[in-house]
Structure formats: C-alpha cells, structure tokens
Amino acid sequence: MAFDFLVPISEKVLAFSEFLPSQALGKNIHKHTEKKGLPVFANATVAIFGVLESRNAFEKRQEKLDMDSLRIELYRLMMGNWNATIIDIGDVEEGNTVEDTYFVVNQIMSGLLEEKIIPIVIGATQDVTFPTYRAFDGIKDMINLVSIDSRFDFGEDDELISSESYMSKIITDKPNNLYNFSNLGYQSYFNAQEEIDLMERLFFDAYRLGDIVSDITLAEPILRNAHLVSLDLRAVKASEMGVTANFSPNGFDGREICGISRYAGISEKVSAFGIYEMENTLLSFRLVAQIIWCFIEGLSFRIKELPSSNDEDFTKFTVPTDSEELVFFKSHITERWWVEVPSILPEHTKNNSVALLPCTQQDYLDACNQNIPERWLKAYKKGLN
C-alpha cells in the first residue's frame, strides 16, 4: 500500500500541539503518528500531506522542505465554523528515484480521490502536479487544470520534466485526459511569445497578473470549472514570502492569494489542491498556513448548483448577437453566472444536455453590447475540434 510510505508527523510538532487551545486547528486535525498510525479516513473531508521530492527543481534546492515549521504555523490557527473533518497523513520522502516518488504520490492521491477526500498537497516543487493529475485516471475522464503561476511551465519539447516544464509532459502524456488548462497570474516577461501563442492555439485560458489584481473576481468562474488546482508560490511577491532568490518583486499579495484559494475551496468541482515551491522562511510558512485555512474555509460554503430554465432559483437570459444567440443563467442564491456552450461534446455533459460554462456578470453585459466573451468563443471552438 502506498500509504505505508507516508512518514508520520514528527514528535516535535505533536508536542507543540499539546499546548494549543482547544479551538486551534492542531487540536482538531486527526494526525498520522508513530504511536497510533494513520487516522481514520471514514468521513474525512480533507487530507493534508507533504511531498519532499525536489530533485526535478529548476533551481536546485539546498535544503529540504521544512514541513514541521509549516505544520506549527498551520496548527496554531483557529478553526472556522466548519463541518469539515481534516486529517494530516504525514509526508512522502524522496524515493530511490523521482519516478518512485511520483508513483507513491499518484497512488496516495488515487486512494484519497476514490474515498471522495480532497487532498491538499504541499510539495517542494511544482512538477509534483504531474502525478497528481495522473491520479484522476480511471476516476474522471476529462480534467480541467488551473495553475496559479507567473509562468506557463511548458519548457522545451526535449527537456526532461522539471518544475518549469511539467505542463509539456501533461499535454503530451497518454492517455490525454486534459480537457482544459487555465493559468491565473502569468507575467508576460517570464513567458516566450511561442508559449503565449501555444495557449491560444490550444484554446487554453490565460489571465495576466494585472487583470486578476485589478478584479480578483475574474478568478472565480475559472476556478469554479476546475478539478485540480496547482499553486506555484512564485506567483506571489518576493516580499510576501520573505525571500529574494528565485522570486519576483511582482506577484500576488497575501490577501489576493488567500482570496483565490478561497474561491478554489468554494468550487464544487475542485477535487485536489496543490501548493508548491514553498521557501523555508517564517513568512512563507505563515502565508501557506493561511492559504490552506482559506481553502478549507471556502469548502464550508460549497453549494451544488446546476442551472436550469425550469428551476425557480435561476433566471434565464437570452441574448441575441450578430452571430450567435447566447443563453445565460443567474443564480438567485449565490448570484453566480453561467452561459450555455452548445458545441461542447455531449460526452462531457450529462444526458447529452448543453454544457454550461461558468462566467461573470460582465460577460453577460458584454454580450448585451454585442461583444461575445472570449472564454465562450474558446470553449465553442474547442468543441468543434
């Protein structure tokens, strides 16, 4: 069993937990310990685990990921008003080879997904996204992946998989279960024009850092459609992480990245959340702890909604444009918006019904002004291919 490879939480962290108040996370998380073994998985909502693999780091790491310090910062935070049952199943150490580590991560992820438990993976490097993506094999046919990253991470065609080229592996690896890829927060000067062109050719979605920062709500419909979310902390400002090397002066601030994390938690489709490229600094540990807290907070606000013209909880809006007739739905409960995309293949929908693409109110207003939303066009063209 892959779970046998998990290293229990250290005695140092367990000793720290003993002195926490009863309302702290550390008192309420069910932990993997040397003495008691793995916690009970039944009824668990979220499973946290670390992956210490860093051999495929683009910038070689001098020190191991300090999961103990992260856990101390996470455990000291207070519980929200949640129904979530949280388990911390320990860490995956480096295997004999990187592929060995990937295999263990893949098997642990698959086991959790099959149990309907949402994994929160804290990885040293973002290439670990690859085995987490492959864990959906046999569980979900087509995957929507959202990466929060300053780079697209395509790399060179012949380059070995690394933390800056794992997306090339995901796109080319068989079976190809990637239906859509979206990037939030890319910074143009880190990405070759060829990579930007590739995103366009494949009808993938990309949002520049400035666009998201100027309106954080743009991230919500993208994350609402995601199954797997991968966060590269190098999308965050260096000053927010307490580091200078390998990080940029530009990026999301702490409040913005926590808001995006909360949107990921609220999304009823998100089944796995990965946080990568953490640095061993106190600010980094505290920020990652708060990102995890905000994701779990979002989980407590999840509502399953399926817009329908027969449902009184939704209003249907039909917008005629010069080339298409667009049909929008607005929820009266959450005030969220969707738009129908008729050409998406029926096998991606239930009962051969028209697919619904999450969107914003601004998309509806743009359509009323005869401007068809770009995401709708990409989804429509993708369905035709």
Side-chain angles (χ1 to χ4, degrees), residues 45-46 84 118 262 265-266 270 294-302:
T45 315
V46 170
I118 299 170
R262 192 171 185 275
I266 289 171
V270 170
C294 289
F295 178 80
I296 300 171
E297 169 83 349
L299 284 176
S300 65
F301 287 98
R302 282 193 175 186

Side-chain angles (χ1 to χ4, degrees), residues 344-355:
I344 291 183
L345 299 176
E347 56 260 36
H348 301 312
T349 66
K350 290 183 179 176
N351 305 322
N352 293 343
S353 60
V354 175

Side-chain angles (χ1 to χ4, degrees), residues 68 190 202 291 298 310 371:
D68 283 358
F190 290 142
L202 296 173
I291 287 169
N310 303 321
N371 295 316

Side-chain angles (χ1 to χ4, degrees), residues 177-189:
N177 296 345
L178 183 68
Y179 185 67
N180 194 42
F181 170 60
S182 303
N183 171 281
L184 297 176
Y186 82 93
Q187 297 175 41
S188 297
Y189 34 73

